[in-house]
Amino acid sequence: MRSSIECIPCNINSLIRILKKANIDSGKQEKLVKSYMKRLLELETFEMTPVHMGREIRELIIKFFGEVDLYREIKDSSNELLLSLYDELKTEVMKSPDPIETALRFSVAGNIIDFAPGHEINVMKTLRDSIRKDFAIDHLKALAEDLRNAKNLLLIGDNCGEVVLDKLFLEVISVPVKYFAVRSTPVLNDVTTREAKLIGIDKVATVIESGTDAPGTLLDKITPEFRKILYNSDVVIAKGQGNFESLSEIDRDIYFLLMTKCDIVSSYVGVNKGSFIAMKKEARLHPSRL
C-alpha cells in the first residue's frame, strides 16, 4: 500500500518517541527531527510504502549514532514477559478444541505488543479476549486447513514479545519444513536473529533474515535466498501492520495476521481501528517460482 499524508506526522511522532525512549538530549532531538523533515521533503513520499518512509528513520539514526539498537532493553523485557507465561499459554492451546486456531489467535493477539504506534498495551487482557473475540476479517479456518496440507511454511515475524507466541504456534503445527523470517538489522522493537535465537525459535523453525532494514518486508531489499523461500513456500504468513503495508500488493497467496493500529490501514482494509485481522490475499495470477 502507498503512503498517505497522515503517514508523515505518524513517522515524525515515531521518531520522537524513539529519541525520548533513548534519553537523547533535547538539542539532538530537535536536530534529528528537523533532519528527518528535510529528508521527507526530498522524497516522493506518496509513491512509497509507509515502511519505506519509516526506513528513513533508521538511516537517520545510523547517520547520527552509528549501528545501535535503541530498543534492545525493551525487546528483551517483552520477550521475558511472554516467556514467563509460555507454559501456561501452551496448556491453554493444547486443551482447546482446535489447538491450531487457538495458537493462531494468540499469535494475532500478540501483535498488540508494539511500542511504535503509541497505543496503550494490556497484554494479558488482549490474550484472554482473543480466545472469544470476533475477527473483523476471519480466514483462520482456511489458514488452518492450508497448514494441515502444507509441506513448508514461511512465517514472517514482526515484534518482540509477540514472537514468543509465534514460537508457540510453530511448535504446535506439524508442517514438515518451517521458516521464520526476521529483520536483518535492529529496527524499532522488531525481531532479529539475536532475539529469535534467545527465545528458541531456532529450535522449532529455520531462522532466516529477510534482508530488510525497515519495519516491514521491502521487496526491493530482500535477499535472493529469502525471495526464493517467499515465492516457493506452500503457505506464507506475514505478521503485523508493517509487513501488511509492505507486502499488501505482492502477487502470491499470502495470509496477513495483525491488529489494525492506525486509521489509514484500518480504512484500507475496511475495518475499525483496533480490529483483529486474519486475511488471505490471493495472487492475481500465478506467482513466479524463482
Side-chain angles (χ1 to χ4, degrees):
M1 61 177 286
R2 293 293 177 261
S3 298
S4 67
I5 194 168
E6 290 90 345
C7 297
I8 294 174
C10 181
N11 275 278
I12 292 172
N13 286 330
S14 179
L15 173 58
I16 293 170
R17 283 193 297 272
I18 292 170
L19 297 176
K20 288 186 179 298
K21 285 180 183 295
N23 294 316
I24 305 301
D25 69 75
S26 58
K28 276 193 175 180
Q29 286 187 36
E30 182 179 348
K31 189 173 182 180
L32 265 75
V33 171
K34 285 182 176 180
S35 295
Y36 184 60
M37 293 170 68
K38 181 179 179 181
R39 178 59 179 152
L40 290 179
L41 291 173
E42 298 169 351
L43 298 172
E44 294 292 337
T45 50
F46 304 128
E47 296 301 318
M48 60 174 57
T49 70
V51 177
H52 282 92
M53 197 182 297
R55 181 178 181 271
E56 295 295 328
I57 293 177
R58 170 161 173 77
E59 292 289 298
L60 186 66
I61 289 173
I62 291 174
K63 179 180 177 181
F64 276 79
F65 303 110
E67 292 280 354
V68 294
D69 187 353
L70 298 177
Y71 275 71
R72 175 174 286 205
E73 184 178 339
I74 291 173
K75 291 192 292 184
D76 288 349
S77 62
S78 57
N79 283 339
E80 289 166 6
L81 169 62
L82 269 298
L83 284 172
S84 70
L85 304 171
Y86 193 87
D87 291 342
E88 181 181 349
L89 292 169
K90 184 177 178 180
T91 299
E92 290 290 324
V93 167
M94 299 312 296
K95 74 179 184 181
S96 68
D98 189 335
I100 293 178
E101 182 173 336
T102 302
L104 283 169
R105 284 178 170 271
F106 278 156
S107 182
V108 176
N111 191 232
I112 196 175
I113 309 167
D114 185 349
F115 294 85
H119 60 278
E120 183 180 351
I121 299 169
N122 188 329
V123 177
M124 285 310 303
K125 183 179 187 301
T126 301
L127 292 177
R128 292 190 187 101
D129 289 349
S130 71
I131 299 299
R132 54 185 178 274
K133 183 180 178 71
D134 289 334
F135 279 45
I137 299 176
D138 186 353
H139 297 160
L140 287 173
K141 293 192 182 303
L143 173 53
E145 184 62 26
D146 283 349
L147 288 169
R148 291 185 181 97
N149 297 320
K151 294 180 180 179
N152 46 64
L153 160 73
L154 169 63
L155 175 59
I156 306 174
D158 189 28
N159 305 315
C160 287
E162 171 186 356
V163 298
V164 175
L165 299 166
D166 295 336
K167 176 191 175 183
L168 176 56
F169 161 66
L170 289 167
E171 188 176 358
V172 168
I173 62 173
S174 58
V175 178
V177 178
K178 294 172 279 193
Y179 295 97
F180 183 77
V182 300
R183 313 293 189 233
S184 293
T185 58
V187 183
L188 299 177
N189 64 324
D190 293 1
V191 61
T192 67
T193 299
R194 171 188 175 272
E195 294 83 38
K197 290 186 174 180
L198 279 175
I199 67 172
I201 285 188
D202 57 323
K203 303 297 191 299
V204 296
T206 299
V207 176
I208 60 168
E209 294 184 356
S210 65
T212 194
D213 56 353
T217 304
L218 300 176
L219 293 176
D220 56 338
K221 301 293 181 184
I222 59 175
T223 66
E225 177 191 14
F226 177 78
R227 182 180 293 275
K228 183 176 181 180
I229 294 170
L230 174 63
Y231 282 98
N232 285 278
S233 294
D234 293 335
V235 178
V236 175
I237 300 172
K239 291 292 303 297
Q241 189 168 278
N243 283 325
F244 175 79
E245 290 170 350
S246 49
L247 293 172
S248 59
E249 296 180 14
I250 190 173
D251 192 13
R252 70 143 294 150
D253 290 358
I254 185 169
Y255 284 93
F256 293 106
L257 303 182
L258 67 147
M259 186 181 78
T260 57
K261 299 172 184 174
C262 77
D263 293 328
I264 302 306
V265 171
S266 301
S267 177
Y268 184 91
V269 179
V271 300
N272 294 324
K273 182 178 176 180
S275 296
F276 282 6
I277 302 296
M279 179 175 67
K280 182 177 184 179
K281 175 197 172 293
E282 296 184 342
R284 293 184 293 275
L285 300 170
H286 292 288
S288 300
R289 299 293 179 180
L290 304 182

